[in-house]
Amino acid sequence: MDFAISRRRMVEQHIKSRGVKDPLVLDAMLQVPRHLFVEQALADQAYGDYPLPIGQRQTISQPYMVAVMTEALQLKGGEKILEVGTGSGYQAAVLARIAGRVYSVERIPELARRARRILDQIGCTNVNVKVTDGTFGWEEQQPFDGIIVTAGAPSIPRSYLDQLGPGGRLVIPVGSLGSQVLMRVTKSGEGRFEEERLLDCRFVPLIGGNGWQNDGT
Ligand code: SAM
């Protein structure tokens, strides 16, 4: 299987044609080998437009959603980004091709370890991965130019708003356990916040002190 051809098709058919335009995002998604981030047995499905299981009852997000969320951060290059929910590490790798440095947190140690290994394998040296409850952000590394949360929250944790720098953007799915709205919150220079509803989505839950107490099962 020629993964480069599959990747190009994924970008053309599932991402560009559905309205994602940012050339930095399209280029990053053309470059990052998604098939390395899924289980080997699922490698031939890696460029389909759907989430796939990554173990521990978690998923690698659908490519279109990765593209939309990355575009929503409105990156220009060189930024400092916090990702909550490392999962497979794929979203972190896409961000790392655009941003200056990515701080990514994951609550499940096995997933963080696996993600680190793949990120090292593809030479992603500007990603820091930490095992922690990411509902509190990453206090020591703030302020961030962007925060991206790849799990569904019941409401917007205050810590994320506090850890955004002036002009910074938070992209986060907010809603019930079964369905959420993808929100973008922009912090103005004066510490005011502008909220936008981007689209309906469905993510695994953000579990932690400022999130859900469990996954509802
Ligand atoms: N960004 C990931 C990728 O590219 O593969 C997909 C993430 S998956 C949809 C959501 C992840 O969020 C899971 O790995 C889950 O363990 C993690 N998660 C849930 N609650 C968390 C928390 N409080 N802190 C850090 N990670 C959390």
Side-chain angles (χ1 to χ4, degrees):
M1 185 162 191
D2 187 331
F3 290 118
I5 292 177
S6 306
R7 201 151 53 237
R8 182 160 293 281
R9 199 176 299 133
M10 170 190 84
V11 170
E12 291 295 330
Q13 291 181 356
H14 304 308
I15 296 177
K16 235 173 150 174
S17 68
R18 293 177 67 188
V20 176
K21 292 187 184 71
D22 186 335
L24 292 175
V25 176
L26 298 174
D27 186 60
M29 297 203 54
L30 271 178
Q31 303 299 330
V32 177
R34 191 173 191 263
H35 60 280
L36 297 182
F37 291 86
V38 304
E39 289 165 15
Q40 223 166 9
L42 299 176
D44 60 343
Q45 294 182 56
Y47 297 102
D49 195 35
Y50 34 77
L52 287 168
I54 54 172
Q56 310 287 332
R57 297 197 301 170
Q58 304 304 320
T59 52
I60 178 174
S61 306
Q62 170 196 13
Y64 172 67
M65 193 55 70
V66 172
V68 165
M69 291 179 80
T70 309
E71 184 171 63
L73 286 171
Q74 298 172 319
L75 303 176
K76 299 281 175 278
E79 293 87 350
K80 181 174 170 185
I81 303 296
L82 171 68
E83 180 198 20
V84 179
T86 313
S88 68
Y90 175 70
Q91 171 77 75
V94 169
L95 290 166
R97 291 205 69 96
I98 308 171
R101 184 152 288 274
V102 179
Y103 293 89
S104 185
V105 290
E106 171 56 55
R107 64 183 281 272
I108 301 177
E110 292 80 359
L111 292 181
R113 262 198 304 277
R114 180 178 174 276
R116 178 75 269 167
R117 184 166 33 82
I118 302 164
L119 290 166
D120 286 343
Q121 187 186 335
I122 65 165
C124 247
T125 53
N126 58 339
V127 180
N128 295 48
V129 178
K130 182 166 91 162
V131 177
T132 191
D133 174 2
T135 63
F136 297 102
W138 192 330
E139 177 71 25
E140 300 78 14
Q141 298 298 344
Q142 62 142 333
F144 297 101
D145 301 307
I147 299 179
I148 179 170
V149 184
T150 63
S155 58
I156 298 176
R158 180 74 220 180
S159 42
Y160 298 159
L161 303 178
D162 292 342
Q163 292 179 21
L164 275 183
R169 289 161 296 279
L170 164 66
V171 176
I172 181 170
V174 183
S176 66
L177 279 172
S179 80
Q180 303 94 33
V181 174
L182 186 67
M183 309 276 303
R184 174 169 55 202
V185 185
T186 306
K187 189 178 199 168
S188 74
E190 303 82 48
R192 279 200 303 271
F193 296 96
E194 183 204 338
E195 280 188 10
E196 296 163 88
R197 297 164 71 91
L198 302 182
L199 51 89
D200 292 335
C201 55
R202 188 188 169 100
F203 277 82
V204 295
L206 180 73
I207 299 174
N210 273 333
W212 295 101
Q213 298 316 300
N214 56 57
D215 66 7
T217 55

